[in-house]
Amino acid sequence: MSNIEQTLSIIKPDAVERELESQIKEKFKSNGFTITKEKKLKLEKSDAEKFYKVHETKPFYNDLCEYLSSGIIIVMVLEKENAVKDNRDLMGATDPKNAKDGTIRKLYGISIDKNSVHGSDSIENAKIEIDFFFNN
Ligand code: CMP
């Protein structure tokens, strides 16, 4: 039975600044993902605060929102079977120093903040995050 899912991916400012867009997209494509929607934009800090609302009680929330709104980002909808989990596996651990070889964060991440990519952590949040960027 086919289990096609969609997930939201963001190429973060550190990776856009280092011109890693095409390498990262190639990683998605060579791992079976189709990029069905995409846009390039710069968020206001208040938008980043809405996007990362689930983290609002965390000590890193303010820095995280400052950072996501500090430069251009590329937002994409990725589609494949089991897209949510497979994208998380392909991204690797949140902190690049704990990420496995071959993952995007191991290859390109600089630090836990500048970890190059964001990916939805559940099917439910993928729907919310896709709506946030594409259905308004
Ligand atoms: P992301 O997958 O975009 O989701 C939330 C982000 O918070 C995460 O990637 C990290 O870049 C950032 N972050 C900063 N500090 C932490 C931390 N201690 N634990 C988890 N995420 C953190």
Side-chain angles (χ1 to χ4, degrees), residues 12 52 55 60 64 94 105 112-115 117-119:
K12 295 188 182 184
Y52 275 134
H55 294 300
F60 56 84
L64 174 62
T94 307
R105 286 168 169 163
I112 196 164
D113 299 302
K114 297 183 173 180
N115 62 356
V117 280
H118 166 84

Side-chain angles (χ1 to χ4, degrees), residues 71-114:
I72 307 250
I73 59 173
I74 297 160
V75 185
M76 293 161 290
V77 175
L78 304 181
E79 199 170 290
K80 81 186 277 295
E81 286 195 2
N82 303 313
V84 173
K85 180 177 185 304
D86 286 0
N87 181 41
R88 291 187 70 76
D89 290 346
L90 181 59
M91 289 192 300
T94 307
D95 189 341
K97 68 176 185 287
N98 301 325
K100 290 187 185 149
D101 283 350
T103 61
I104 294 172
R105 286 168 169 163
K106 176 74 175 192
L107 283 167
Y108 304 122
I110 296 171
S111 66
I112 196 164
D113 299 302
K114 297 183 173 180

